[in-house]
Amino acid sequence: MPNGLKRALIGLMTALIVYCLLGFLILPGVAQRVVNQQLTHYATVPARLERIEFNPFTLELRLHKLHMGEPDAEQLGFERLFLDLEWDSLWSRTLHLSAIELIGPNAEVLFDLDGKLNLTELFELPRAEALPEEDSEPLALRIDRLKLAGGRVHFADQRTEEPIDFILDSLDFELLNFATRSADAADAVLVAKGPDGSHIEWKGQLNLSPITSTGQLEIDGLALKTFWPYVRDMAPLALNEGKLSLKTDYQLDLSEGTSLQLSDASATLASLSIDSLEGQPLLRLKRAEIAQTSLDLQKRQVTLDQVRSQALESWLIREPDGQLNWQRLVAGNAEPRPTETADESTQEEPQSAQKSDAPSQPWRIVIADAELRGYQLHLADKAPEPNVELEVGPLDLDVRNFDSRGTSPVELKLKTEVGKQGSLLAEGQLTLTPMQGRFDVTLAGIDLRLAQPYMSPFVHLELRSGLLAGQLAVDLKGIEPLAFHIGGSAEITQLHTLDTIQDRDLVKWQSLQISGLDYNYPSELQIDKLDLNQPYARFIINPDLSTNINDLLVDKPAATPSPAVVSSEAAASPDEPDVPFALRIGGIQIADGSANFADLSLRPPFITAIQDLGGSIGTIDNRQHNAASVDIQGKVDRYAPVSIEGSLTPFEPLQSLDIITRFKQVELTTLSPYSAKFAGYRIRKGRLNLDLHYRIQQGQLNAENEVVLEELQLGEKVDSEQAVDLPVRLAVALLKDSSGTIALKIPVQGDLKNPQFDVVPIIWQTLRNLVVKAAKSPFKFLGGLVGRDQADLSQILFPPGSSELDSAARSNLDTLASALKERPVLRLEIEGMSAPAVDGPLLAEQWLEREYQQTWYKVLQRRGDTVPADPAVLEISEDEKAAMLEGIYRSRLQQQPPTEWQSLDEDTRARQLRQAIVSSRESSTALLRRLSRARAASIKDYLVDNTGLAADRVFLLDTGIAQTPQGREVPTVLHLEAE
C-alpha cells in the first residue's frame, strides 16, 4: 500500500474516531452540562436533565428524564424526548425531522389565588430587547412524524370559590407530515382519558399557512362537576352530578378573521342534578340529546335538526318579595372576586377596540324538531298566605320549525296534567316577530281552589271546590298593545263558595256552561248562551240591616299614591282613550236552582227557601237598548209556586221594564216575623197570592199590585216598637169576604226620576187606608170559623227525636185523609211539637253526628278528594270521630277543655268531651223548632204524597212545646177548621 494512501486512511480513521468520540461522548456530555447549568441559572425551581444521547451518524438525539420542581412536587418533566434529524436539513435550508417522540410528559398547570400560572414562574429570563417588526416567513420546519405518548397533565385552579382539580392521566398525540411552508395539511390525532372514565378524541388535518384545520372532535362521559366551579362563580348553583358527551365535525379557518363551522354535531347531557347552595332542589334531568346540529361562527347561527329530552324536573318558586328563585340565583350573581387582576394594557383598551368586538348581529338559533317528554314542574308561590303549591306534569312539549329571528311561525304542542286531576292540551303556531299566534286549547278538571289565597286578602270567601274545563281557540294578535281573541266554550262545575264569617254556603252550582264564547281583549265579550244547572245562593239581612254581601269585603286602608305615581298616571291618561266595553249574552238558562233568604233583623228571624228555580233570560246587550225577556219559575218552601215573566233592559232599567211577578199559595206563617214587627201580631195560618205587575217607560212607573190573603188568622200579640197603632185583628176579620178571602188592588204611578218619589211609602199608606176603612165598616163582619175536634185523631205520636211516621201514625193519617175527603168543607191544621225532656238528648246526639259529617266533609274538600253532593251520606269511623271531638268542643262551646281532663286516659277524655258537647245542645231551641217543623212537614207530605189529599187543604201552624214524660212518645197536635 503506498504511504500516501496509508496516511490518508490513518487520517480518515483518526477523523472518524475523533468524530465518534466527539458525537457520542463529548458533545452529549457538554450539552448536558450546559443545559443543567442554564437550568440552574434561569429556573426558579430545582431542575435537571438526566442524560443526553446523540448519534452523529443518524443525527438521532435523545434526552432522558427532565425534572423541574421539588422531588415530591414536580411541575414539568418527561421520561424521554427523541428527535431524528435528517441530513437534507444541511442543504435544503429546512429543518427536517423525520420523527419526534415525547414519552411520558408530565405537567402541573396551576393557577393560584392571585391568578398566576405556575408555568410562567418556572424561569427568570432576561428582558429581551425590542426588535423592529419585520415581515418574514415562518421558520422552515418539516416534521414527518411527531408523537406524544403516555402524557399526564394535572390542572388546578384556586381562583374559583371552590378550587378546581383534575388529572388527565392518559394523553396521546400524533402529528404526521407537518411543514410550516407547505400548503399540504398535516394529519393529527389526540386521545386523552381521565380517571373518571371521560374520553376525548380529536382527529383532523392542520395547516399553518394559512392556519386552517378540519376534522372530528369527540368527548365522551365528561363529568360537568370537574369544571362546575366556573359556573358556580357566575351563579350560586350546586351541581350534584351530570355528564356531557359531544361528537362533531369541524372546519377552522383563521386566514381572514375567525371562521369556525361545526357540522353533523350531536351531544348528550345525562343525569343532570342541580341544587341551590342551601340544598334546595332546582333541576333534575334524566337525559337530553341534540343531533344533526351545525354551527357557523361567522354567520352566528346554530341549527339543531333534532332535540330530544326526557324527564326534566324543576322547582320554580316565587319568594315573598315577588322574585323568582331562578331569577334571584342568576340575576343576583355575586360580583367577580377581587383577587383577579388584569393587565393595564387590557384595562386601558380604547373604546374603539371594545366596540369592534361587539357582535354585528344577534345569534340565530334554528330548531327543526324538538320533543320534550315527561317534564315535571313544582310551582310554589310564597307571596300569598297561605302559600300556593301546584304540580304540573307529566308535561310533553313538541316544537317544530323554531327560528330565533321570529319571522316564521313556530309549531307548538303542549300536553300536561295540572294538579291532581286537571289537564291542559294546547296546539298551534306562534310567530315571534311580530308576536302573534293561534292555539287550540283544551282544559279539563282545572282546580279553581288555586285562586283562594289570591282572593282571601279582599273577600271573606272560601272557595271550597270548583273545576274549570273548556274547548278554546286563542288568537294572539299582538303584545304592544296587548290584543287577543278567545273563542269556544267553557264550563265551571262543582262550584262551592263559603261565607267564612257565617260559616255557611254562599253561592254554588253544579255546572255553568258557557257556549259560543267570543272574547276580544280589551273591548268586547260575547256569549251565545249560559246554562246554569242547580245554582244556589244565600242572602242574609243582618240585625243592623247590613247584608252578608256587604260583610264579604275585607276592610283595607286606602293607599295614598305617591306624587310620582299620580303624575305618571296623569301624564298617561290623555293617551288612553276610554273605550266602552261591549257585553252581549245571547241567553241565560237556569235549571233546578234554589236559594235561601234570612232576615235576622226580625225577632224571631225570618227564614225561607226557594226551590225548583228554573227558567230563562233573553238576550242581554249593553250596546243596544232592546229589552231582554224574563221567564223564571220556582217554589217557596216546596209548595208555593213563584213566577217572574216579562222583559227589562238590565243596563238601563228606567228605560224599559215590564215584569209580572206571581206568588201562589205562600204559607203566611213564614212571614210571621214581618207581621210581628210591623203589625204587632204573629201569623197563625194563612196563604198568600201576590200578583205584581210593574211597567216602566222612560222613567214613568205604572204598577198594579194584587194581593189575595186566604184564611188569614193572626196569632198572639207581640210587642214591637215599629208596629202600627191600628185594630189589626178587627181589620183582618172585616176585610174577609164570605169565603174568608182578603183581596186588595194597589195601583202605583209616578216618576222614578223624581228623587222625592218612593214606592214603598205609597203602598204602605194605601194598605193603611184600607185597614182603617175596614175597621169602620162593621156591617161587613160575617163571623169566624167553627172548629170541630175528633179525640181519636187529634194528635200524631212520634218517637223521641224523630220525625218519621210509624205504622200506627200512618194508619191514623190514612183514616183522617179518608174522613177529610168525605168532608171537603174541612181543612186540616198541623201544629208541629217537640218535648225538650225527651227530644233534647236525642236531638243533641243527631246534631253531633251531623257535626262529624260536616267536619269530615270539609277535611275531604281541603285535601282535594272527591266528595259526595251531600255530607249526610258520609260514613265515619269511631276513630275519626274521636279525633274530631276536641275541635268540635272548642269551636261550638267557645272554650278550652278543663285542664283536669288532660290527665284522663284517651277513652275517658273522649267520653267527657262528647258528653259536654251533647249536654250543650240538649236544650237548643233551634233544634227543637226544627224537629217540630219536620214533624209537621212529615204529616203534610204523607197526606199530600201518599193519600192524595190536596195540598191547599193542609196548613202548617207555628211550632209548639209538649210536656211529655221520659219514655213517652211526643204528640203533634192536629186541628180541623171548616172553609
Side-chain angles (χ1 to χ4, degrees), residues 708-776:
V708 178
L709 303 175
E710 298 177 351
E711 297 295 334
L712 172 62
Q713 183 176 345
L714 298 179
E716 69 273 15
K717 186 176 180 58
V718 177
D719 292 333
S720 173
E721 295 180 357
Q722 300 184 36
V724 295
D725 186 15
L726 290 172
V728 177
R729 284 187 177 277
L730 176 60
V732 170
L734 292 174
L735 289 173
K736 292 181 181 179
D737 59 15
S738 59
S739 62
T741 300
I742 299 175
L744 304 174
K745 291 185 178 182
I746 308 175
V748 179
Q749 295 180 345
D751 186 0
L752 294 175
K753 297 180 180 179
N754 185 350
Q756 303 299 323
F757 179 77
D758 195 350
V759 175
V760 175
I762 294 176
I763 296 177
W764 177 245
Q765 186 61 39
T766 303
L767 285 173
R768 181 185 178 91
N769 294 337
L770 287 172
V771 171
V772 171
K773 182 178 180 180
K776 294 180 179 180

Side-chain angles (χ1 to χ4, degrees), residues 57-70:
F57 298 104
T58 61
L59 299 183
E60 294 177 349
L61 176 65
R62 290 178 174 85
L63 285 70
H64 295 272
K65 295 185 178 180
L66 172 67
H67 304 280
M68 295 193 69
E70 299 295 338

Side-chain angles (χ1 to χ4, degrees), residues 316-422:
L316 183 62
I317 302 172
R318 188 171 78 133
E319 301 295 346
D321 60 1
Q323 194 174 35
L324 299 178
N325 59 335
W326 281 97
Q327 180 183 3
R328 174 173 295 174
L329 292 172
V330 177
N333 175 34
E335 296 181 357
R337 297 177 64 183
T339 55
E340 298 184 8
T341 59
D343 185 75
E344 294 181 358
S345 62
T346 304
Q347 297 176 354
E348 298 177 359
E349 183 180 0
Q351 294 183 359
S352 60
Q354 295 177 3
K355 292 182 180 179
S356 65
D357 294 335
S360 58
Q361 60 181 5
W363 276 88
R364 179 187 180 190
I365 301 176
V366 178
I367 302 176
D369 179 13
E371 292 183 0
L372 315 181
R373 294 291 181 265
Y375 277 31
Q376 188 76 31
L377 302 180
H378 306 280
L379 307 181
D381 191 349
K382 296 184 178 180
E385 185 64 36
N387 299 160
V388 178
E389 295 184 357
L390 177 63
E391 298 293 324
V392 178
L395 182 149
D396 296 339
L397 175 64
D398 292 344
V399 181
R400 302 285 187 274
N401 304 322
F402 172 82
D403 191 331
S404 60
R405 293 182 304 182
T407 56
S408 58
V410 183
E411 297 180 12
L412 299 174
K413 181 178 180 181
L414 172 67
K415 180 180 180 182
T416 183
E417 296 180 7
V418 180
K420 290 186 176 181
Q421 53 189 337

Side-chain angles (χ1 to χ4, degrees), residues 827-940:
R827 289 183 176 178
L828 178 67
E829 299 175 352
I830 305 172
E831 183 179 4
M833 306 192 74
S834 59
V838 296
D839 288 329
L842 293 176
L843 290 176
E845 295 283 350
Q846 297 168 7
W847 174 87
L848 180 57
E849 289 298 319
R850 291 194 297 273
E851 278 295 298
Y852 286 143
Q853 292 171 328
Q854 291 288 347
T855 303
W856 188 241
Y857 192 82
K858 295 176 182 178
V859 171
L860 295 178
Q861 283 187 321
R862 291 192 185 100
R863 292 195 324 209
D865 294 343
T866 301
V867 297
D870 188 356
V873 304
L874 291 175
E875 295 183 6
I876 306 172
S877 66
E878 293 300 324
D879 291 340
E880 291 168 338
K881 290 180 180 179
M884 290 185 278
L885 272 174
E886 186 159 343
I888 297 174
Y889 181 97
R890 292 178 178 177
S891 64
R892 293 305 185 183
L893 272 64
Q894 297 294 313
Q895 62 184 16
Q896 299 290 335
T899 55
E900 57 267 21
W901 289 4
Q902 299 292 337
S903 60
L904 300 176
D905 61 82
E906 185 175 346
D907 292 339
T908 304
R909 175 179 170 82
R911 286 194 300 272
Q912 292 284 10
L913 290 171
R914 191 179 190 280
Q915 183 58 44
I917 294 171
V918 170
S919 298
S920 70
R921 287 293 184 277
E922 287 181 353
S923 59
S924 171
T925 302
L927 294 177
L928 292 170
R929 287 180 62 85
R930 186 184 302 166
L931 177 61
S932 300
R933 290 194 297 268
R935 285 168 172 168
S938 295
I939 295 174
K940 180 172 183 177

Side-chain angles (χ1 to χ4, degrees), residues 177 232 693 847 930:
N177 302 321
R232 179 172 173 177
H693 189 181
W847 174 87
R930 186 184 302 166

Side-chain angles (χ1 to χ4, degrees), residues 131-145:
L131 298 176
E133 295 184 0
E134 298 180 358
D135 294 333
S136 59
E137 294 185 355
L139 172 67
L141 175 63
R142 177 183 171 189
I143 302 174
D144 295 341
R145 179 172 174 270

